Amino acid sequence: LGGAYNDWAVKTTTYTAVNKDQLIANHASTAFTITLPSSPSAGNTVIIKNIGDALVTVGRNSSNINSLAEDGELTKNAFVQLVYIDGTIGWKEL
């Protein structure tokens, strides 16, 4: 699906991801949200690893995640790679 990923970036506060982001979430105590890209295309992908103690919400940004209209959550040491499939499935967790 073309091209390399973006370099790994450390996020400690609310952030809106873009296609090919590789993100490390790291906050000791304050929960925050990483929002998935708006208007994604099939094959778009985002990788998130939470290494902090704080809960990270994965905001769906109007697209489904695993066919559900629900945000995701990443606890400490949780990891997810999401690939956008279509309007029904939305972002699929690999």
Side-chain angles (χ1 to χ4, degrees):
L1 297 171
Y5 290 96
N6 298 330
D7 289 343
W8 285 96
V10 177
K11 300 300 175 184
T12 59
T13 189
T14 300
Y15 174 75
T16 299
V18 298
N19 180 38
K20 299 182 182 178
D21 262 353
Q22 298 185 112
L23 305 172
I24 295 174
N26 184 21
H27 199 286
S29 60
T30 303
F32 65 98
T33 299
I34 295 177
T35 303
L36 295 171
S38 63
S39 304
S41 299
N44 284 183
T45 187
V46 174
I47 299 170
I48 307 168
K49 169 74 174 183
N50 183 11
I51 64 168
D53 289 326
L55 180 70
V56 174
T57 298
V58 179
R60 64 187 192 90
N61 206 357
S62 299
S63 295
N64 289 340
I65 298 176
N66 293 328
S67 302
L68 301 173
E70 299 175 0
D71 292 336
E73 293 182 342
L74 294 175
T75 56
K76 184 175 183 174
N77 294 319
F79 166 87
V80 68
Q81 180 173 6
L82 297 162
V83 176
Y84 187 79
I85 305 299
D86 59 28
T88 301
I89 296 170
W91 295 92
K92 182 66 178 172
E93 184 177 358
L94 299 183

